[in-house]
Each structure stands twice: as C-alpha cells, then as structure tokens.
Amino acid sequence: MIDITSKLPHVGTTIFTTIGQLAREHNAINLSQGFPNFDPDPELLALVSKAYKKEHNQYAPMQGALSLREAISEKIERLYSKHYNPESEITVTAGATQAIFTTIATFIQPKDEVIVIEPAFDCYEPAIALFGGKSVPVPLEGNDFKMNWSTFKSAITPKTKMVIINTPHNPTGTIWSERDMLRLQEILRGTNIILLSDEVYEHIVFDGKLHESAAKYPDLAARSLICASFGKTFHATGWKVGYCAAPKLLMQEFQKVHQFNVFSVHHPLQIALAEYLKYPQHYVNLGGFYQEKRDAFLDAIKDSRFKMVPSEGTYFQLLEYSDITNEKDTVFAEHLIKEYKLASIPVSVFCKGDYEKKFLRFCFAKTNNVLDKAAEILNSI
Ligand SMILES: Cc1ncc(COP(=O)(O)O)c(C=O)c1O
C-alpha cells in the first residue's frame, strides 16, 4: 500500500453522481442534473459530420480554431458591444469547467482569498482549495436570493485576489440586473481584484430581460475572465466545449496554464461550432424556447403545495417545500426519489456552511412528456 495525502480530503463523489445513481436505482424521473434530454439541432450535427470528413482531425491551435475564435468575438461584440481580439483575447476550452479551473489555477496562490457567492456551482471551491486559496462565502439573502452589497463589500480584504460571479445563476435561477453589475463595478474599482464571470447560461434569460455580461461594463471587463459553454447553448453538454474571453494581459497568463493542461480542444467540433455560431438565430431564441418549458412546468404545478418564484434565467426552477415538511433538503430530496420516484437537487449542497432553507432545484431542460410526469408527481405530494 502506498501512503497518500489527499489534496482534497473533504471532497467526495459529487451530489450529481450520487443522486443520479439513486434515481437510476429507484427508476425515478430525473430532473436533478442540468442537461437536456433532447439532441442538438440536426443542422449542427451535420456540420460536425462534415468537419470530421474535412481533414480537421488533428490538433487544433492551442488557443482554439481561429474561425471559432472569430465567431465568438463577433457574437460578443454584437451582443455586448465589446471587442475581444480573436488572436489574443479568446481561448476555446474543454467546457466552461476547464475555463473556470484554468482561471483559478492561473491566478490563485496560497493564502489568496476568493469571494464565492453562495449557493455556488460546485466546481469553484475545490479548484480554489487545490491551489492553496481560501474561499470566502458571501450568501445570497432571503427566499429571493438577492445580493446584499454591503455584506459583499465587507468580505473584501487586502488578501482578496478574485471574485467569482455567476449570472444567470445556478442553482437559484436568478439574474443580476444592470444595477447589480454597476454596484459590483463600483466596489471593485481601484482594486487589483480579478473577476471570474461564469456566464454559461447567458442565452437563457426570460421575460424580455437582458443578460448583463461583465463584458458590457468597461471597468469590470478590464479585470474579467468570462467563462462560457456551448454545451448549455446548443443542447450538447456532452461535447464539453466552451471558451474564456479576457483582456490580453490576463489571457496571456491563462494560456500559459492552458497549453500545458489541455493544450487544445476537440477540433472537428470547433469547426462545426464556428460555422453554426455565425447565425444569431441559433442562440437568440433560446430564452424563448426555455421560457415556454418553464411556463408549462409552473402552470402544471400551480396548485401543488410547493411555493415557486418563476426562474429568471437558466434551465432550473427552485421549489420551496416548507408547507409540506420540515425535513432538511437533503433528506426530503432522498424521500422524493425513493417514495415518489422523482429526482431533484437539494440547494444546501451548493453551500459550504449550514443551510436551513427549504428549496429543491429541478431542471426543466426536458421534453414535455417528462415534465408532465414530474408535474403529476409534484401535485400528488
Ligand atoms: C454555473 C455553471 N458553470 C459552469 C458549468 C460547467 O459547464 P461545462 O459543462 O461547459 O463545463 C455549469 C454546468 O452545469 C454550470 O451550471
């Protein structure tokens, strides 16, 4: 036997794996993990097949295929009026997870503090810990998960190296307004703090609202690494292709790490995505597509005993269950799988400390028949 010291002693199997397994064992409808149960557009799939046949089967350039970086740059400029130079300010990554990991690996040194807004997507904290950093959680407040900006401000210390934000937000389905972004910009102005802006759900925003990218705010953009995912946008989470956009100085450092970690990403997919991305209709209607699902799902469960505030973005809907039971969310989630055959994610797993609120997260990126069956179950509880 060899003796090892774990670098992540507190990390076990992720909740998504555990819940997924339990859901399979109990033959439950699975609205836990965030992925669609339908395929990408056939047009995109045809472009992928074409790319395989067109000599794109060797390494892509380290930064990503130039045609894809150009298409990304045009998309960002069209939407947020900010130019990122495709030659020096964009890198194609193996999903947003790698963009996030590489951003943290590039900038976080032992004892650096990173402000993480909780509940938080699960990959931030372990990456911070791996590089000796310290996560400083700042909670979203109330049952509407609003940021208290004075709490946020008081969490900043001379050791704060980075802030991680995520809008639209997983798991709460809230989005940040222009006011939030301006407040953040004002608080960070004059500091040396880097902003990691996780914008993987940028195209899934509802009710006519707009996504507030860090790219839109000059003082934020200058300190931001924006991490994005084609998996979320094109119903292809299994492809694991995303990107990072940042000013040249930050991107140069990012690429130093990227080139010795991933080096380059699946080439044929990049070629296909570059072609597909040229047409805005392939992503500007995504909010409408998911809004219909959200509305149908909420309408179907409006008479249930769950309380709900419609999600503002992402493909997640939180349901509050305090009228049903006092059980902790992890216990109630297990209950739902075993007794009612419906899987969701308890929100407490997105928080480091004690978490007493009573919310479960349901993914509505599913075909209508699956959502209807889930609604039937939720109405029966
Ligand atoms: C908030 C958030 N960030 C990042 C990711 C990871 O994206 P990808 O699958 O492209 O690695 C996810 C995926 O669920 C997510 O919800």
Side-chain angles (χ1 to χ4, degrees), residues 38-210:
F38 38 86
D39 274 330
D41 183 355
E43 193 184 325
L44 176 56
L45 298 179
L47 287 170
V48 174
S49 314
K50 195 169 120 197
Y52 274 114
K53 290 177 198 140
K54 283 245 169 170
E55 299 173 10
H56 296 295
N57 296 305
Q58 310 310 327
Y59 291 127
M62 180 272 281
Q63 307 90 327
L66 182 59
S67 57
L68 181 54
R69 284 181 279 138
E70 284 170 345
I72 293 167
S73 171
E74 278 162 27
K75 175 178 82 98
I76 299 176
E77 191 152 5
R78 192 180 308 120
L79 293 174
Y80 311 126
S81 307
K82 159 79 183 159
H83 179 70
Y84 286 90
N85 185 340
E87 298 279 358
S88 54
E89 299 188 311
I90 292 171
T91 303
V92 178
T93 58
T97 308
Q98 187 238 313
I100 293 164
F101 188 89
T102 299
T103 298
I104 292 169
T106 303
F107 296 105
I108 296 308
Q109 308 209 22
K111 303 207 168 49
D112 282 344
E113 292 181 3
V114 182
I115 294 185
V116 178
I117 291 153
E118 289 198 342
F121 185 59
D122 65 344
C123 78
Y124 309 148
E125 210 269 323
I128 296 164
L130 263 182
F131 295 95
K134 181 179 164 215
S135 299
V136 177
V138 174
L140 292 169
E141 292 186 356
N143 277 2
D144 53 356
F145 299 97
K146 288 276 182 270
M147 171 52 75
N148 178 332
W149 287 107
S150 35
T151 310
F152 177 87
K153 197 171 174 183
S154 59
I156 294 177
T157 75
K159 290 188 186 158
T160 308
K161 174 63 84 58
M162 183 181 283
V163 169
I164 301 181
I165 64 167
N166 170 220
T167 181
H169 186 253
N170 176 13
T172 65
T174 54
I175 60 173
W176 276 8
S177 64
E178 182 184 9
R179 229 172 122 187
D180 287 312
M181 297 304 278
L182 288 172
R183 194 78 179 91
L184 177 66
Q185 179 167 256
E186 185 190 309
I187 292 172
L188 297 185
R189 186 168 287 140
T191 71
N192 238 341
I193 297 171
I194 289 167
L195 183 66
L196 191 171
S197 186
D198 179 346
E199 302 186 15
V200 300
Y201 299 102
E202 67 182 310
H203 301 298
I204 314 181
V205 175
F206 309 135
D207 305 316
K209 292 186 180 147
L210 289 179

